[in-house]
Amino acid sequence: MFDEMMISGGAIVASAARAGAAIAVRLPWYRSLPLSCITAVSLRLDGDAVEEERLGFRLYGSEHRIGDLAGLHDVFWFVLDEAEVVVDLGASQLGGSHEVELELGLRIPYPEFGTRTFTQVARCSKTLDLEEVLA
Amino acid sequence: MTGNVRLGVTLYSFNAEYYSYRYSVEECMKAAASLGPDQGVEIVGPQMIRGFPRLSSEFEALFKRCVAEHGLRPTAYGAYSDDQRITGRALSYEEALDYMTAQLRAAKTLGFPVVRVQPREVVLADLVPVAEKLGLHLGMEIHAPMKIEEMGELIERVEKISSPSLGFVPDCGIFCHSCADIYVNRFLELGVNQQVVDRILELWTERATPEQLHDEIERLGGDDLAQVMGIESFVYFGHSEPATLERIMPYIRHVHGKFFGIDESGTDSAVRFSEVVDVLQRGGFDGYISCEYEGHHWTTKRSALEQVRTLQTFLRTRLGG
Protein backbone atom coordinates (compact mmCIF):
# COMPACT_ATOMS: atom_id res chain seq x y z
CA MET A 1 0.00 0.00 0.00
CA PHE A 2 1.26 3.47 -0.94
CA ASP A 3 4.37 1.79 -2.37
CA GLU A 4 4.96 4.73 -4.71
CA MET A 5 5.39 7.04 -1.70
CA MET A 6 7.73 4.74 0.22
CA ILE A 7 10.92 6.58 -0.82
CA SER A 8 10.35 10.20 0.12
CA GLY A 9 13.82 11.67 -0.32
CA GLY A 10 17.47 11.18 0.42
CA ALA A 11 20.77 12.75 1.17
CA ILE A 12 24.41 11.83 1.39
CA VAL A 13 26.05 12.67 4.66
CA ALA A 14 29.79 12.91 4.33
CA SER A 15 32.47 13.32 6.91
CA ALA A 16 36.22 13.34 6.46
CA ALA A 17 36.69 9.56 6.21
CA ARG A 18 33.28 7.99 5.58
CA ALA A 19 30.18 8.65 3.59
CA GLY A 20 26.67 7.40 4.23
CA ALA A 21 23.43 7.76 2.39
CA ALA A 22 20.22 8.33 4.26
CA ILE A 23 17.13 7.43 2.26
CA ALA A 24 13.97 8.93 3.75
CA VAL A 25 11.16 6.37 3.85
CA ARG A 26 7.46 6.27 4.64
CA LEU A 27 5.75 3.25 6.17
CA PRO A 28 3.85 1.61 3.28
CA TRP A 29 0.67 0.91 5.27
CA TYR A 30 -2.41 2.82 6.50
CA ARG A 31 -1.66 2.52 10.23
CA SER A 32 1.30 2.51 12.56
CA LEU A 33 3.19 -0.73 13.08
CA PRO A 34 5.84 -1.84 15.55
CA LEU A 35 9.34 -2.20 14.09
CA SER A 36 9.22 -5.94 14.84
CA CYS A 37 6.79 -6.17 11.92
CA ILE A 38 9.48 -5.14 9.42
CA THR A 39 10.60 -8.54 8.19
CA ALA A 40 12.97 -7.48 5.43
CA VAL A 41 14.77 -4.39 4.15
CA SER A 42 16.65 -4.59 0.88
CA LEU A 43 18.17 -1.82 -1.15
CA ARG A 44 19.75 -1.54 -4.58
CA LEU A 45 21.85 1.46 -5.48
CA ASP A 46 22.25 1.89 -9.24
CA GLY A 47 21.28 -1.74 -9.73
CA ASP A 48 23.71 -3.15 -7.18
CA ALA A 49 22.35 -4.86 -4.09
CA VAL A 50 23.71 -3.40 -0.87
CA GLU A 51 24.68 -6.07 1.70
CA GLU A 52 22.50 -6.03 4.83
CA GLU A 53 25.54 -5.38 7.04
CA ARG A 54 25.92 -2.00 5.32
CA LEU A 55 22.29 -1.05 5.97
CA GLY A 56 20.71 0.50 9.04
CA PHE A 57 17.28 1.76 10.02
CA ARG A 58 16.94 5.07 11.79
CA LEU A 59 13.79 6.25 13.55
CA TYR A 60 13.20 8.89 16.22
CA GLY A 61 16.92 9.48 16.69
CA SER A 62 17.89 5.82 17.17
CA GLU A 63 19.71 3.75 14.58
CA HIS A 64 19.16 -0.02 14.42
CA ARG A 65 20.76 -2.88 12.55
CA ILE A 66 18.23 -4.54 10.22
CA GLY A 67 18.61 -7.80 12.14
CA ASP A 68 17.65 -6.06 15.39
CA LEU A 69 14.29 -4.82 14.12
CA ALA A 70 12.61 -8.16 14.85
CA GLY A 71 12.97 -7.60 18.59
CA LEU A 72 11.57 -4.06 18.65
CA HIS A 73 7.88 -4.76 19.27
CA ASP A 74 7.60 -1.78 21.63
CA VAL A 75 8.83 0.80 19.13
CA PHE A 76 5.95 2.00 16.97
CA TRP A 77 6.57 3.67 13.62
CA PHE A 78 3.74 6.23 13.44
CA VAL A 79 2.21 6.13 9.98
CA LEU A 80 2.78 9.83 9.19
CA ASP A 81 6.44 9.84 10.16
CA GLU A 82 9.50 9.39 8.02
CA ALA A 83 12.22 6.93 8.95
CA GLU A 84 15.56 6.54 7.22
CA VAL A 85 17.28 3.61 5.66
CA VAL A 86 20.96 4.39 6.07
CA VAL A 87 23.66 3.00 3.85
CA ASP A 88 27.33 2.86 4.74
CA LEU A 89 29.13 3.95 1.61
CA GLY A 90 32.58 3.52 3.08
CA ALA A 91 35.10 5.75 1.39
CA SER A 92 33.02 6.32 -1.78
CA GLN A 93 31.91 9.79 -2.72
CA LEU A 94 28.47 9.54 -4.15
CA GLY A 95 26.75 12.88 -4.69
CA GLY A 96 24.55 13.27 -7.76
CA SER A 97 21.74 11.31 -9.39
CA HIS A 98 21.22 7.65 -8.42
CA GLU A 99 18.66 4.93 -8.94
CA VAL A 100 17.41 3.70 -5.57
CA GLU A 101 15.26 0.58 -5.30
CA LEU A 102 13.86 -0.27 -1.90
CA GLU A 103 11.91 -3.31 -0.82
CA LEU A 104 10.31 -3.55 2.61
CA GLY A 105 8.66 -6.70 3.93
CA LEU A 106 5.91 -6.22 6.52
CA ARG A 107 4.28 -8.79 8.77
CA ILE A 108 0.79 -7.41 9.31
CA PRO A 109 0.13 -8.35 12.94
CA TYR A 110 -3.63 -8.82 12.69
CA PRO A 111 -4.27 -11.57 10.14
CA GLU A 112 -7.93 -11.54 9.18
CA PHE A 113 -8.35 -15.27 9.06
CA GLY A 114 -7.40 -17.05 12.22
CA THR A 115 -3.70 -17.50 12.58
CA ARG A 116 -2.63 -17.41 8.97
CA THR A 117 0.31 -15.04 8.56
CA PHE A 118 -0.24 -11.99 6.43
CA THR A 119 2.89 -10.54 4.82
CA GLN A 120 3.05 -7.55 2.53
CA VAL A 121 6.01 -6.62 0.39
CA ALA A 122 6.27 -3.01 -0.73
CA ARG A 123 8.57 -1.99 -3.57
CA CYS A 124 9.61 1.44 -4.70
CA SER A 125 12.15 2.70 -7.22
CA LYS A 126 13.15 6.32 -7.49
CA THR A 127 15.88 8.34 -9.07
CA LEU A 128 17.22 10.50 -6.31
CA ASP A 129 19.46 13.48 -6.50
CA LEU A 130 21.55 12.71 -3.51
CA GLU A 131 22.59 16.03 -2.12
CA GLU A 132 25.81 16.06 -0.18
CA VAL A 133 25.45 17.26 3.35
CA LEU A 134 28.55 17.75 5.43
CA ALA A 135 28.37 15.98 8.79
CA MET B 1 -40.00 -1.99 16.46
CA THR B 2 -38.68 1.52 16.47
CA GLY B 3 -34.98 1.95 16.37
CA ASN B 4 -32.92 4.92 15.39
CA VAL B 5 -30.57 4.36 12.49
CA ARG B 6 -28.14 7.25 12.22
CA LEU B 7 -25.30 7.99 9.83
CA GLY B 8 -21.61 8.50 10.45
CA VAL B 9 -18.27 8.14 8.76
CA THR B 10 -15.10 6.27 9.57
CA LEU B 11 -12.15 8.62 9.12
CA TYR B 12 -10.28 5.70 7.55
CA SER B 13 -12.34 6.66 4.49
CA PHE B 14 -9.92 9.57 4.08
CA ASN B 15 -6.91 7.25 4.18
CA ALA B 16 -5.34 8.52 0.94
CA GLU B 17 -5.78 12.20 1.85
CA TYR B 18 -4.52 11.69 5.40
CA TYR B 19 -1.50 9.59 4.41
CA SER B 20 -0.39 12.10 1.76
CA TYR B 21 -0.72 15.01 4.23
CA ARG B 22 -3.55 16.61 2.28
CA TYR B 23 -5.93 16.26 5.26
CA SER B 24 -4.79 16.72 8.83
CA VAL B 25 -6.80 14.98 11.56
CA GLU B 26 -8.72 18.23 11.99
CA GLU B 27 -9.48 18.38 8.27
CA CYS B 28 -10.75 14.79 8.40
CA MET B 29 -13.07 15.81 11.24
CA LYS B 30 -14.25 18.92 9.34
CA ALA B 31 -14.93 16.79 6.28
CA ALA B 32 -17.00 14.43 8.44
CA ALA B 33 -18.95 17.34 9.90
CA SER B 34 -19.73 18.67 6.41
CA LEU B 35 -21.81 15.54 5.80
CA GLY B 36 -24.57 16.73 8.09
CA PRO B 37 -25.47 17.65 11.68
CA ASP B 38 -24.70 15.14 14.46
CA GLN B 39 -22.54 13.16 12.07
CA GLY B 40 -21.04 10.09 13.70
CA VAL B 41 -17.26 9.83 13.68
CA GLU B 42 -15.17 6.68 14.00
CA ILE B 43 -11.39 6.44 14.08
CA VAL B 44 -8.77 3.72 13.66
CA GLY B 45 -6.60 4.08 16.78
CA PRO B 46 -3.17 3.29 15.28
CA GLN B 47 -3.83 5.41 12.21
CA MET B 48 -4.40 8.68 14.02
CA ILE B 49 -3.07 8.43 17.54
CA ARG B 50 0.64 8.94 17.96
CA GLY B 51 1.52 6.86 21.01
CA PHE B 52 -0.90 4.02 20.15
CA PRO B 53 -1.94 1.85 21.94
CA ARG B 54 -2.05 4.62 24.53
CA LEU B 55 -3.75 7.97 24.13
CA SER B 56 -1.60 11.08 23.92
CA SER B 57 -2.79 14.24 25.64
CA GLU B 58 -2.29 16.10 22.35
CA PHE B 59 -4.65 13.83 20.46
CA GLU B 60 -7.18 13.90 23.29
CA ALA B 61 -7.25 17.69 23.26
CA LEU B 62 -7.44 17.89 19.46
CA PHE B 63 -10.18 15.28 19.16
CA LYS B 64 -12.35 16.73 21.90
CA ARG B 65 -12.00 20.24 20.50
CA CYS B 66 -12.95 19.07 16.99
CA VAL B 67 -15.95 17.10 18.28
CA ALA B 68 -17.21 20.13 20.18
CA GLU B 69 -16.48 22.72 17.48
CA HIS B 70 -17.92 20.71 14.60
CA GLY B 71 -20.88 19.06 16.31
CA LEU B 72 -19.72 15.48 15.82
CA ARG B 73 -20.72 12.31 17.67
CA PRO B 74 -17.96 9.81 18.54
CA THR B 75 -19.36 6.40 17.59
CA ALA B 76 -16.62 3.76 17.60
CA TYR B 77 -12.89 3.33 18.19
CA GLY B 78 -11.16 0.82 15.91
CA ALA B 79 -8.96 -1.33 18.14
CA TYR B 80 -6.50 -4.09 17.24
CA SER B 81 -5.26 -7.06 19.26
CA ASP B 82 -2.19 -7.26 16.97
CA ASP B 83 -1.60 -10.87 18.00
CA GLN B 84 1.39 -11.23 15.73
CA ARG B 85 3.31 -8.14 16.71
CA ILE B 86 5.98 -10.07 18.66
CA THR B 87 8.41 -11.94 16.43
CA GLY B 88 8.49 -15.67 16.92
CA ARG B 89 5.96 -16.12 19.70
CA ALA B 90 2.37 -15.61 20.70
CA LEU B 91 1.40 -12.91 23.19
CA SER B 92 1.21 -13.82 26.86
CA TYR B 93 -2.13 -13.41 28.61
CA GLU B 94 -0.93 -10.20 30.28
CA GLU B 95 0.46 -8.74 27.05
CA ALA B 96 -2.79 -9.37 25.18
CA LEU B 97 -4.96 -7.97 27.96
CA ASP B 98 -2.77 -4.91 28.63
CA TYR B 99 -2.66 -3.99 24.96
CA MET B 100 -6.43 -4.11 24.65
CA THR B 101 -7.06 -2.41 28.01
CA ALA B 102 -4.91 0.56 26.98
CA GLN B 103 -7.07 0.94 23.87
CA LEU B 104 -10.31 0.63 25.83
CA ARG B 105 -9.13 3.38 28.17
CA ALA B 106 -8.26 5.57 25.19
CA ALA B 107 -11.69 4.95 23.69
CA LYS B 108 -13.42 5.78 26.96
CA THR B 109 -11.48 9.03 27.41
CA LEU B 110 -12.29 10.11 23.87
CA GLY B 111 -16.01 9.47 24.41
CA PHE B 112 -16.49 6.45 22.15
CA PRO B 113 -19.26 4.12 23.38
CA VAL B 114 -18.22 1.24 21.10
CA VAL B 115 -14.83 -0.37 20.54
CA ARG B 116 -14.44 -2.39 17.35
CA VAL B 117 -12.39 -5.49 18.10
CA GLN B 118 -11.44 -8.67 16.26
CA PRO B 119 -13.08 -11.92 17.39
CA ARG B 120 -10.33 -13.22 19.66
CA GLU B 121 -10.12 -15.35 22.78
CA VAL B 122 -8.77 -12.41 24.84
CA VAL B 123 -11.95 -10.49 24.05
CA LEU B 124 -14.34 -13.32 24.85
CA ALA B 125 -12.52 -14.68 27.87
CA ASP B 126 -10.98 -11.64 29.57
CA LEU B 127 -11.95 -8.27 28.20
CA VAL B 128 -15.71 -8.20 28.82
CA PRO B 129 -15.45 -7.37 32.57
CA VAL B 130 -12.99 -4.55 31.73
CA ALA B 131 -15.44 -3.17 29.17
CA GLU B 132 -18.36 -3.50 31.61
CA LYS B 133 -16.48 -1.52 34.24
CA LEU B 134 -15.71 1.21 31.70
CA GLY B 135 -19.26 1.19 30.34
CA LEU B 136 -18.09 0.29 26.83
CA HIS B 137 -19.45 -2.11 24.21
CA LEU B 138 -16.99 -4.46 22.47
CA GLY B 139 -18.18 -5.07 18.94
CA MET B 140 -16.44 -8.01 17.28
CA GLU B 141 -16.18 -7.12 13.64
CA ILE B 142 -17.75 -9.48 11.12
CA HIS B 143 -15.64 -8.83 8.04
CA ALA B 144 -15.35 -10.59 4.67
CA PRO B 145 -14.76 -13.47 4.16
CA MET B 146 -16.71 -14.25 7.36
CA LYS B 147 -20.36 -15.14 6.96
CA ILE B 148 -22.98 -14.79 9.68
CA GLU B 149 -24.41 -18.12 8.44
CA GLU B 150 -21.18 -19.85 9.51
CA MET B 151 -20.82 -18.21 12.91
CA GLY B 152 -23.17 -20.43 14.92
CA GLU B 153 -20.65 -21.30 17.64
CA LEU B 154 -19.46 -17.74 18.17
CA ILE B 155 -23.02 -16.40 18.30
CA GLU B 156 -23.94 -19.03 20.90
CA ARG B 157 -20.94 -18.04 22.97
CA VAL B 158 -21.92 -14.37 22.88
CA GLU B 159 -25.47 -15.33 23.85
CA LYS B 160 -24.14 -17.41 26.75
CA ILE B 161 -21.90 -14.58 27.99
CA SER B 162 -24.96 -12.36 27.65
CA SER B 163 -23.36 -9.01 28.42
CA PRO B 164 -24.39 -5.57 27.13
CA SER B 165 -20.64 -5.05 26.69
CA LEU B 166 -20.22 -7.79 24.09
CA GLY B 167 -21.63 -7.94 20.59
CA PHE B 168 -20.87 -7.59 16.90
CA VAL B 169 -20.00 -4.92 14.37
CA PRO B 170 -21.12 -6.24 10.98
CA ASP B 171 -19.07 -4.82 8.11
CA CYS B 172 -21.30 -4.40 5.05
CA GLY B 173 -18.56 -5.79 2.81
CA ILE B 174 -19.89 -9.19 3.84
CA PHE B 175 -23.15 -8.43 1.96
CA CYS B 176 -22.11 -8.13 -1.70
CA HIS B 177 -24.09 -8.94 -4.83
CA SER B 178 -20.99 -8.48 -7.01
CA CYS B 179 -17.34 -7.64 -6.88
CA ALA B 180 -16.83 -3.86 -7.05
CA ASP B 181 -16.35 -2.16 -10.44
CA ILE B 182 -13.49 -0.07 -9.07
CA TYR B 183 -11.61 -3.28 -8.21
CA VAL B 184 -12.27 -4.92 -11.60
CA ASN B 185 -11.25 -1.79 -13.51
CA ARG B 186 -8.02 -1.44 -11.57
CA PHE B 187 -6.87 -4.98 -12.33
CA LEU B 188 -7.77 -4.60 -16.01
CA GLU B 189 -5.79 -1.38 -16.04
CA LEU B 190 -2.82 -3.15 -14.46
CA GLY B 191 -2.91 -5.70 -17.27
CA VAL B 192 -4.77 -8.78 -16.07
CA ASN B 193 -6.14 -10.58 -19.11
CA GLN B 194 -9.90 -10.05 -19.72
CA GLN B 195 -10.50 -13.80 -19.92
CA VAL B 196 -8.88 -14.31 -16.51
CA VAL B 197 -10.85 -11.38 -15.04
CA ASP B 198 -14.12 -12.81 -16.34
CA ARG B 199 -13.31 -16.22 -14.92
CA ILE B 200 -12.44 -14.78 -11.48
CA LEU B 201 -15.79 -12.97 -11.39
CA GLU B 202 -17.59 -16.14 -12.50
CA LEU B 203 -15.89 -18.18 -9.79
CA TRP B 204 -16.83 -15.51 -7.24
CA THR B 205 -20.48 -15.90 -8.20
CA GLU B 206 -20.10 -19.68 -7.94
CA ARG B 207 -18.57 -19.31 -4.44
CA ALA B 208 -15.37 -21.14 -5.41
CA THR B 209 -12.90 -21.78 -2.58
CA PRO B 210 -9.57 -19.90 -2.51
CA GLU B 211 -7.83 -23.13 -3.56
CA GLN B 212 -10.16 -23.65 -6.53
CA LEU B 213 -9.66 -20.01 -7.51
CA HIS B 214 -5.89 -20.31 -7.29
CA ASP B 215 -5.77 -23.47 -9.39
CA GLU B 216 -8.10 -22.10 -12.05
CA ILE B 217 -6.11 -18.86 -12.37
CA GLU B 218 -2.95 -20.91 -12.73
CA ARG B 219 -4.59 -23.13 -15.34
CA LEU B 220 -5.49 -20.04 -17.39
CA GLY B 221 -1.90 -18.79 -17.22
CA GLY B 222 -2.64 -15.97 -14.81
CA ASP B 223 0.41 -14.45 -13.12
CA ASP B 224 1.01 -13.25 -9.55
CA LEU B 225 -1.10 -10.15 -10.17
CA ALA B 226 -4.03 -12.31 -11.30
CA GLN B 227 -3.61 -14.38 -8.13
CA VAL B 228 -3.78 -11.18 -6.06
CA MET B 229 -7.01 -10.28 -7.87
CA GLY B 230 -8.35 -13.73 -6.97
CA ILE B 231 -7.46 -13.39 -3.30
CA GLU B 232 -9.00 -9.92 -3.18
CA SER B 233 -12.30 -11.19 -4.61
CA PHE B 234 -12.43 -13.44 -1.58
CA VAL B 235 -11.31 -11.06 1.17
CA TYR B 236 -13.23 -7.95 0.12
CA PHE B 237 -16.57 -9.10 -1.28
CA GLY B 238 -18.55 -11.42 0.98
CA HIS B 239 -21.54 -13.68 0.41
CA SER B 240 -23.54 -13.32 3.63
CA GLU B 241 -27.32 -12.71 3.40
CA PRO B 242 -28.54 -9.42 4.93
CA ALA B 243 -31.49 -11.29 6.52
CA THR B 244 -29.03 -13.10 8.82
CA LEU B 245 -28.58 -9.82 10.72
CA GLU B 246 -31.89 -10.68 12.42
CA ARG B 247 -30.15 -13.55 14.22
CA ILE B 248 -27.71 -11.19 15.95
CA MET B 249 -29.78 -7.98 16.11
CA PRO B 250 -29.75 -7.67 19.93
CA TYR B 251 -25.95 -7.70 19.81
CA ILE B 252 -25.40 -5.03 17.16
CA ARG B 253 -24.62 -1.52 18.48
CA HIS B 254 -22.67 -0.32 15.44
CA VAL B 255 -22.43 -1.12 11.75
CA HIS B 256 -19.60 -0.47 9.31
CA GLY B 257 -21.11 0.91 6.11
CA LYS B 258 -18.19 -0.50 4.14
CA PHE B 259 -18.27 0.42 0.45
CA PHE B 260 -15.92 0.57 -2.49
CA GLY B 261 -17.19 2.96 -5.14
CA ILE B 262 -20.47 4.57 -6.17
CA ASP B 263 -21.78 3.76 -9.67
CA GLU B 264 -24.69 5.07 -11.77
CA SER B 265 -27.15 3.45 -9.40
CA GLY B 266 -26.28 6.17 -6.88
CA THR B 267 -25.08 3.61 -4.39
CA ASP B 268 -22.14 1.22 -4.15
CA SER B 269 -21.52 -1.08 -7.13
CA ALA B 270 -21.12 -4.15 -4.87
CA VAL B 271 -22.81 -3.85 -1.46
CA ARG B 272 -26.50 -4.73 -0.87
CA PHE B 273 -27.26 -1.57 1.10
CA SER B 274 -31.00 -1.41 0.45
CA GLU B 275 -31.54 -4.82 1.99
CA VAL B 276 -29.20 -4.10 4.91
CA VAL B 277 -30.97 -0.84 5.76
CA ASP B 278 -34.38 -2.54 5.61
CA VAL B 279 -33.32 -5.38 7.91
CA LEU B 280 -31.73 -2.97 10.41
CA GLN B 281 -34.79 -0.73 10.49
CA ARG B 282 -37.22 -3.62 10.86
CA GLY B 283 -35.01 -5.05 13.59
CA GLY B 284 -35.08 -1.83 15.58
CA PHE B 285 -31.35 -1.10 15.28
CA ASP B 286 -30.45 1.89 17.41
CA GLY B 287 -27.02 3.07 16.36
CA TYR B 288 -24.86 4.31 13.54
CA ILE B 289 -24.07 3.03 10.09
CA SER B 290 -20.51 4.36 9.88
CA CYS B 291 -19.76 4.75 6.18
CA GLU B 292 -16.35 3.36 5.37
CA TYR B 293 -15.04 4.14 1.89
CA GLU B 294 -12.36 1.69 0.82
CA GLY B 295 -12.06 2.44 -2.91
CA HIS B 296 -8.70 4.09 -2.12
CA HIS B 297 -7.26 0.58 -2.01
CA TRP B 298 -7.49 0.48 -5.81
CA THR B 299 -7.37 4.11 -6.84
CA THR B 300 -6.87 7.45 -5.16
CA LYS B 301 -8.47 9.39 -8.01
CA ARG B 302 -11.91 9.67 -6.41
CA SER B 303 -12.84 12.14 -3.70
CA ALA B 304 -13.50 10.08 -0.59
CA LEU B 305 -15.70 12.84 0.81
CA GLU B 306 -17.93 12.93 -2.28
CA GLN B 307 -18.18 9.14 -2.30
CA VAL B 308 -19.37 9.14 1.33
CA ARG B 309 -21.70 12.07 0.73
CA THR B 310 -23.37 10.26 -2.20
CA LEU B 311 -23.76 7.06 -0.22
CA GLN B 312 -25.26 8.91 2.73
CA THR B 313 -27.78 10.57 0.40
CA PHE B 314 -28.81 7.11 -0.78
CA LEU B 315 -29.00 5.69 2.73
CA ARG B 316 -30.96 8.67 4.03
CA THR B 317 -33.54 8.18 1.26
CA ARG B 318 -33.78 4.48 2.00
CA LEU B 319 -34.22 5.22 5.69
CA GLY B 320 -37.13 7.45 4.78
CA GLY B 321 -35.44 10.64 5.84
Side-chain angles (χ1 to χ4, degrees), chain B residues 267-288:
Chain B
T267 181
D268 190 65
S269 72
V271 178
R272 299 161 70 176
F273 276 117
S274 292
E275 294 165 86
V276 172
V277 166
D278 292 352
V279 174
L280 288 174
Q281 262 192 321
R282 273 199 322 267
F285 173 62
D286 183 356
Y288 286 80

Side-chain angles (χ1 to χ4, degrees), chain B residues 88-107:
Chain B
R89 68 168 176 85
L91 305 179
S92 71
Y93 164 91
E94 283 84 14
E95 283 165 337
L97 193 57
D98 287 352
Y99 199 77
M100 293 307 293
T101 302
Q103 294 177 70
L104 262 59
R105 293 216 173 98

Side-chain angles (χ1 to χ4, degrees), chain A residues 101-117:
Chain A
E101 295 164 65
L102 178 68
E103 205 172 276
L104 217 68
L106 296 177
R107 178 178 73 251
I108 305 304
Y110 51 94
E112 297 274 1
F113 334 112
T115 54
R116 206 189 299 178
T117 312

Side-chain angles (χ1 to χ4, degrees), chain A residues 1-2 4-6 26-34 36-37 60 69-74 76 78-82 107-118, chain B residues 12 15-16 18-21 44-53 80-89 95 99 118 120 143-146 210 234-235 296-297 300:
Chain A
M1 188 183 295
F2 301 130
E4 69 286 359
M5 292 194 262
M6 187 162 64
R26 292 287 308 276
L27 172 61
W29 202 240
Y30 69 90
R31 53 148 283 194
S32 311
L33 290 173
S36 55
C37 289
Y60 307 138
L69 294 175
L72 297 173
H73 48 264
D74 289 327
F76 273 82
F78 185 62
V79 71
L80 294 184
D81 291 342
E82 271 180 358
R107 178 178 73 251
I108 305 304
Y110 51 94
E112 297 274 1
F113 334 112
T115 54
R116 206 189 299 178
T117 312
F118 177 20
Chain B
Y12 168 74
N15 184 27
Y18 172 78
Y19 185 91
S20 60
Y21 307 133
V44 164
Q47 182 179 35
M48 300 205 158
I49 305 175
R50 187 188 292 280
F52 170 88
Y80 292 80
S81 43
D82 285 347
D83 323 56
Q84 293 194 10
R85 70 182 181 279
I86 299 182
T87 309
R89 68 168 176 85
E95 283 165 337
Y99 199 77
Q118 292 82 42
R120 292 286 185 275
H143 190 291
M146 293 165 76
F234 185 69
V235 308
H296 49 72
H297 178 76
T300 55

